[in-house]
Amino acid sequence: MLIKVDNLKKEFKTGEVVTKVLRGLSFGIEEGEFVAIMGPSGSGKSTLMHILGMLDRASSGHYAFSGREVTTLNDNELAAMRNEKIGFVFQSFNLLPRTTVLDNVKLPLAYSKNKKEIDMRAKETLESVGLGHRLHYYTNQISGGEKQRVAIARALVNNPSIVFADEPTGNLDSKSGIQIMEILQKLNDSGNTIILVTHETSTAEHAKRIIKIKDGIIEEDRAVLNHKKAHDGDMLK
């Protein structure tokens, strides 16, 4: 099992006030799954993603990633595992301004000594999301949908075990959103594990499983028997 959490809790303290965000979550995610984590604002879904993505720590409980107990790792070990195993796609793209598409995707490979390999891998990954013709464009010269595809390419360039997509269609028009969901589905069809965080039912139903969170607990965990397939005639043109 790729991810296993047991009685996971997270609380924040502000002076004497304790806010309980996650109240004891337990579930597992197998390698190759496409899971949507749903919930309204304040439900705890983004906090859960940050913990699963090793950007934050749980207050208590257990979290195992590929059989390794994450809660016992120090900050350097967490950073190393995060860089090697996890790719992130955020709603706000998080691209460097005044920097080319190619250079943005090369960022996760910055510590590699083989510059030729870096260029090759970045170009191949951009081509896989339909942006081979945008390599030397600056990020302020491309559309929102193209920016999100750059973000996906950057998340994939290190061949991660899992990709977390946090509201990846939130800043996009409906057509661009369909294109992004088609890319995520194709990645999953190729064996990539995808965890999608969203508050939109229409987006979540592109996944194969939905975990609904409300007030820090799991309200529902179900398979999507007839999950939506994203199709767009102009995809990647």
Side-chain angles (χ1 to χ4, degrees):
M1 184 168 290
L2 184 61
I3 284 176
K4 178 68 175 177
V5 299
D6 183 37
N7 199 28
L8 201 71
K9 297 180 181 181
K10 179 66 177 180
E11 60 184 35
F12 297 97
K13 295 181 181 179
T14 306
E16 299 294 321
V17 179
V18 177
T19 303
K20 296 182 178 180
V21 180
L22 300 179
R23 300 169 178 264
L25 277 61
S26 300
F27 61 89
I29 295 176
E30 299 284 357
E31 189 170 347
E33 282 201 78
F34 188 165
V35 181
I37 298 176
M38 278 197 72
S41 297
S43 62
K45 63 184 185 298
S46 292
T47 298
L48 175 60
M49 190 208 77
H50 285 140
I51 292 172
L52 297 181
M54 304 179 204
L55 297 169
D56 196 5
R57 293 179 181 270
S59 300
S60 63
H62 296 281
Y63 170 26
F65 187 93
S66 293
R68 189 174 183 185
E69 181 60 43
V70 174
T71 53
T72 64
L73 301 180
N74 62 38
D75 288 346
N76 288 336
E77 290 170 328
L78 280 176
M81 183 175 282
R82 185 170 61 241
N83 291 339
E84 293 172 7
K85 303 292 186 181
I86 298 173
F88 294 98
V89 180
F90 296 100
Q91 178 178 352
S92 56
F93 317 132
N94 288 359
L95 302 179
L96 290 178
R98 298 181 298 278
T99 306
T100 67
V101 166
L102 182 62
D103 284 340
N104 266 275
V105 174
K106 286 161 59 175
L107 275 176
L109 305 173
Y111 295 107
S112 174
K113 295 180 180 179
N114 190 332
K115 302 303 181 184
K116 185 176 180 180
E117 181 185 357
I118 288 176
D119 280 352
M120 182 181 69
R121 284 175 61 183
K123 289 176 182 177
E124 288 177 350
T125 309
L126 280 163
E127 288 169 359
S128 75
V129 297
L131 288 178
H133 61 303
R134 293 283 194 257
L135 300 181
H136 302 294
Y137 279 62
Y138 287 89
T139 53
N140 64 343
Q141 296 176 311
I142 60 177
S143 68
E146 288 175 328
K147 288 177 182 177
Q148 195 59 290
R149 282 192 255 163
V150 174
I152 291 174
R154 185 182 57 192
L156 293 174
V157 74
N158 260 345
N159 297 317
S161 300
I162 188 168
V163 173
F164 289 93
D166 188 6
E167 301 282 7
T169 63
N171 283 339
L172 304 178
D173 59 68
S174 57
K175 179 179 177 180
S176 297
I178 288 172
Q179 293 176 342
I180 296 305
M181 292 313 302
E182 182 165 0
I183 290 173
L184 292 177
Q185 286 182 328
K186 286 182 176 179
L187 290 172
N188 180 245
D189 290 343
S190 298
N192 293 84
T193 306
I194 309 291
I195 295 184
L196 168 72
V197 176
T198 182
H199 67 278
E200 298 176 346
T201 300
S202 59
T203 300
E205 288 177 348
H206 288 92
K208 297 176 182 176
R209 176 184 171 193
I210 295 176
I211 298 175
K212 287 187 178 180
I213 297 177
K214 185 177 181 181
D215 298 329
I217 62 173
I218 294 178
E219 185 178 49
E220 182 181 22
D221 185 347
R222 64 178 175 87
V224 183
L225 299 179
N226 296 302
H227 67 280
K228 290 183 180 179
K229 293 298 288 183
H231 290 295
D232 190 305
D234 295 324
M235 177 61 191
L236 303 185
K237 290 185 181 178

